[in-house]
Amino acid sequence: PPAPPVAQAEIDRFEAVLESDPRAAGAIIDALAAARANRPATLRPDPLLSGLAGRYYLRRGWTPFALAHLRHADAPDVPRPQLVAALLALAEAQALSGDRAGAARALGRLEALAPGAADRRRAALLAARVALVTNPGAALEAVRPLLAEGDAGARFEAEFIAAQAHALLGDRAAAEAAADRIWATAAAPPAAAAAPVRAALLRAALAEARGDADALAAMLNAAGAQGAALAGDLTDQLPVCGDGGVLPGDYATFGLLGHGDMQELLPLTASRPAAVATFHDALSQFGGLRWEGRPAAGLTVTVRCRTLATAQYRATPARNELSEWFAEHGLFFTFLVDSDPEGIAALSRRLGELEERFGPDHPHLIPLQLELAGRIMIDGASDGIDLVEADRLHDRAVAAMRRIGGADRTLPPPETDALLRRMARASTPEEAVRYAQAGFARFLAWAPLDDAFAEFQLWIPVLAAESEGTATALTSAMLARFPAGSRDPRRRALHMRLAALQAAAGDRDAARASYRAAGVPANACVMMDEPAAHVTGTITTEDYPPAAILNDFVGTTAMEFTVGPDGNATGLRLIFSAPGGVFDRITEAAFARFGFTPARHGGRTRACSGQFQRVLWQLPAEREDPPPPDSVAPAPERI
């Protein structure tokens, strides 16, 4: 039998609050999911709720969860406005995950529905945003007809894409003119569009390109760069030179924009259009921006390729297998629980209410059981619910999933599951290592490759700190999942990690073999018997740029270079700069005066390449308000 119909009033309520109050939108989906759970246990997708849930997840920035549900949102009985919105969201989510071909298919499906003028404009703007990464010329042609159409938000978006396209194509005069126009009109679009921050980031990138330090500082201020910071190390995500045809001289500048719960990566300028996609796809794997005190803020990042891969490379799984299984069966996580004792207690009450209403074995209890068990395992006992009860809930949910079927790709074998749970709650590092040795290798062999690698990168630093032997064995187990000769950046990262572990164990020959498997050239510093080591030259508080102090700018730079046989740093390449252009000159000047003990190999002094160093530029934790521009700025206490 079909699910109970959803009242149009509830759909209208959802549409009214999705952008302004996502939590209220989640509450509506939660109530609708509970109301539609009265159907028999023959489970199937719920296209309408899948579309609403997928759009909610996308609005919160949870792309894999959004994709899982949006793939099941296309059905004849879905009201046309919600179907159009779901297809637009599907195209956007696929573009965010790097699936540009999938985004094009979703937009093609939308076009077949003959949408109205407003939805056609939204689809055309989205298609142009996707094209910017690979073909800015096509993006420019796509938005030309839209520059005078629609409301203020649509016109701003079209003009902004046109300005990006001009900049990426190298037409700086046209880009500057378009950037000035959008800056003048940025206050007109709705606040949710974060138009002033977008315009400021574009103008900051153009100012960096022409070397205008004053305009750069002004636009970074306007973008709220003082309140934006990187939440992790983006240098680990940079492509290796040669990937996607990227050359050592190529660069790209992006805007990292945070607004609401969303983060966006905006291509702004580049050495050439063909280089943009490789940098974009590498950085889009990592949502690493924090912003505080403002509804929207951002900063610019200028990147180049690395000579060598890094062991710390991370890849976010494009699929969430559990959400995929839920969507296939019309099941939904709750949207209302906070990770605190009150939230856990509220979830427990909700589960009790549904058990009383449907009985303890109803399939729609599975998401609540798993979520409550998971939160207790992570956050500890709460409101009388202990770890024993969490295990009971987990086991009931897993047993129900196995009865329903099709969950083998989601659920590890029982023995592996038990060992992983013991590892997660181990009371000592030694105990965690024991369970890891027994269970984690099984998990790495069983889990979908994307999930296995993500969990490996999460756990391996902890395990390596306790037992290099265990870390070496697990790294080898993870490597076995990849075909020999694969150019997958994850495989390169694993070889780099294995080489470092082998070198630490004193096995230089094995380490060199692993480095070669990662594509490391023979003249790289890590291949030497005795790598180069820094001995003279420092970056001190006196080096902090006065303009950065006055503007409260913090940031990160990273340098790659060759160490000559005389111990001097040569071939300096600034491969990472955030905010772009703020700390570049001082970083280059500092490294030019550094001295190193030269590398030695085969008993001889050698030049070696690929030396890497990152610099974090930080202001003191406690500071008074910055002084007025005409005063002498105090130097910070540390960098």
Side-chain angles (χ1 to χ4, degrees):
V6 176
Q8 186 62 44
E10 292 301 299
I11 297 177
D12 293 343
R13 283 182 57 225
F14 173 86
E15 300 293 353
V17 299
L18 177 60
E19 295 298 327
S20 60
D21 190 355
R23 187 174 179 83
I28 294 169
I29 302 173
D30 223 36
L32 291 175
R36 288 161 74 85
N38 285 315
R39 50 186 158 155
T42 302
L43 300 172
R44 59 176 177 269
D46 188 326
L48 175 57
L49 282 193
S50 284
L52 301 183
R55 292 167 59 199
Y56 167 87
Y57 283 132
L58 185 62
R59 177 64 182 79
R60 300 299 301 269
W62 303 333
T63 304
F65 292 86
L67 281 170
H69 288 281
L70 290 168
R71 291 190 182 106
H72 296 280
D74 188 353
D77 58 343
V78 176
R80 187 181 182 84
Q82 280 63 54
L83 178 56
V84 168
L87 288 169
L88 282 168
L90 175 60
E92 183 175 355
Q94 287 172 318
L96 288 172
S97 68
D99 185 3
R100 286 183 282 273
R105 287 193 297 272
L107 290 172
R109 166 67 178 132
L110 176 63
E111 182 65 26
L113 295 176
D119 289 324
R120 280 201 307 274
R121 278 194 298 274
R122 290 179 61 196
L125 289 170
L126 177 55
R129 286 203 301 272
V130 173
L132 270 175
V133 176
T134 56
N135 191 343
L140 181 60
E141 290 305 311
V143 297
R144 286 192 196 277
L146 307 176
L147 294 174
E149 289 187 10
D151 57 19
R155 292 195 303 275
F156 173 88
E157 180 75 9
E159 189 77 79
F160 183 69
I161 293 172
Q164 288 176 278
H166 285 305
L168 293 170
L169 290 167
D171 189 347
R172 295 288 167 79
E176 296 275 5
D180 289 344
R181 289 194 296 272
I182 61 175
W183 180 248
T185 61
V197 178
R198 294 174 191 272
L201 290 172
L202 175 59
R203 296 186 92 206
L206 293 171
E208 178 191 357
R210 66 176 183 269
D212 188 338
D214 290 339
L216 172 62
M219 288 298 101
L220 288 173
N221 267 313
Q226 307 94 327
L230 299 179
D233 190 357
L234 271 175
T235 63
D236 292 333
Q237 303 305 110
L238 298 180
V240 174
C241 297
D243 288 353
V246 169
L247 305 173
D250 282 325
Y251 74 89
T253 298
F254 295 90
L256 295 180
L257 169 64
H259 58 104
D261 295 311
M262 297 286 291
Q263 295 189 37
E264 294 185 47
L265 184 66
L266 308 173
L268 301 176
T269 62
S271 54
R272 57 193 179 100
V276 177
T278 300
F279 288 116
H280 178 276
D281 291 349
L283 297 184
S284 65
Q285 289 280 333
F286 183 73
L289 186 69
R290 293 195 309 263
W291 65 100
E292 300 175 0
R294 295 178 60 144
L299 52 79
T300 55
V301 176
T302 298
V303 295
R304 292 174 173 82
C305 60
R306 300 179 64 123
T307 300
L308 308 182
T310 170
Q312 285 73 42
Y313 174 83
R314 296 175 302 286
T316 302
R319 294 172 64 94
N320 182 279
E321 295 292 351
L322 184 59
S323 288
E324 295 277 356
W325 189 87
F326 281 178
E328 289 167 8
H329 294 84
L331 301 175
F332 301 89
F333 278 122
T334 183
F335 298 86
L336 298 178
V337 179
D338 294 320
S339 294
D340 55 29
E342 292 78 14
I344 293 175
L347 182 55
S348 178
R349 289 193 297 273
R350 169 67 63 85
L351 179 59
E353 292 167 359
L354 292 180
E355 284 182 343
E356 184 175 347
R357 178 178 165 191
F358 299 128
D361 297 319
H362 196 285
H364 284 270
L365 301 181
I366 293 172
L368 292 169
Q369 291 166 338
L370 286 178
E371 186 158 4
L372 181 55
R375 290 183 185 274
I376 294 170
M377 289 176 187
I378 293 171
D379 300 323
S382 173
D383 196 27
I385 307 171
D386 57 17
L387 292 174
V388 174
E389 175 65 8
D391 276 339
R392 186 186 69 81
L393 290 169
H394 175 89
D395 291 342
R396 281 177 56 188
V398 166
M401 291 176 69
R402 294 193 191 282
R403 286 195 303 272
I404 293 168
D408 290 342
R409 71 177 188 271
T410 302
L411 301 174
E415 304 84 4
T416 303
D417 183 48
L419 288 166
L420 291 174
R421 280 191 277 167
R422 291 183 185 130
M423 183 180 77
R425 67 177 62 161
S427 58
T428 65
E430 294 79 10
E431 186 182 4
V433 168
R434 286 199 304 274
Y435 288 127
Q437 290 170 328
F440 202 40
R442 295 186 187 184
F443 171 80
L444 296 179
W446 161 83
L449 183 58
D450 290 355
D451 294 334
F453 182 80
E455 290 295 318
F456 173 88
Q457 291 293 69
L458 177 67
W459 278 97
I460 201 65
V462 178
L463 299 173
E466 296 302 321
S467 170
E468 289 184 351
T470 296
T472 301
L474 292 173
T475 303
S476 298
M478 189 69 248
L479 263 171
R481 296 289 305 275
F482 292 89
S486 167
R487 289 281 294 172
D488 191 311
R490 297 173 295 183
R491 182 175 180 271
R492 286 196 309 233
L494 290 167
H495 275 298
M496 294 297 288
R497 185 178 295 282
L498 182 60
L501 290 166
Q502 292 164 331
D507 192 346
R508 294 293 307 176
D509 290 339
R512 274 191 281 269
S514 294
Y515 281 131
R516 282 194 294 272
V520 175
N523 67 338
C525 293
V526 293
M527 297 287 275
M528 301 293 112
D529 292 335
E530 299 176 34
H534 172 252
V535 289
T536 62
T538 59
I539 297 178
T540 72
T541 57
E542 298 300 319
D543 292 312
Y544 213 104
I549 298 172
L550 287 169
N551 289 289
D552 273 344
F553 291 153
V554 299
T556 303
T557 51
M559 187 71 75
E560 197 175 74
F561 51 95
T562 294
V563 177
D566 57 359
N568 291 327
T570 63
L572 298 172
R573 293 180 63 240
L574 187 70
I575 63 172
F576 188 86
S577 175
V582 173
F583 300 101
D584 297 18
R585 291 183 181 177
I586 187 58
T587 302
E588 292 166 344
F591 276 84
R593 64 176 185 259
F594 281 6
F596 297 80
T597 56
R600 295 183 64 81
H601 191 71
R604 297 172 52 194
T605 298
R606 302 285 184 93
C608 67
S609 65
Q611 195 82 348
F612 171 86
Q613 182 62 54
R614 186 168 61 109
V615 183
L616 299 179
W617 300 84
Q618 301 174 355
L619 292 167
E622 296 90 20
R623 295 196 58 212
E624 297 178 355
D625 291 335
D630 58 350
S631 70
V632 177
E637 297 171 0
R638 60 188 173 83
I639 298 180

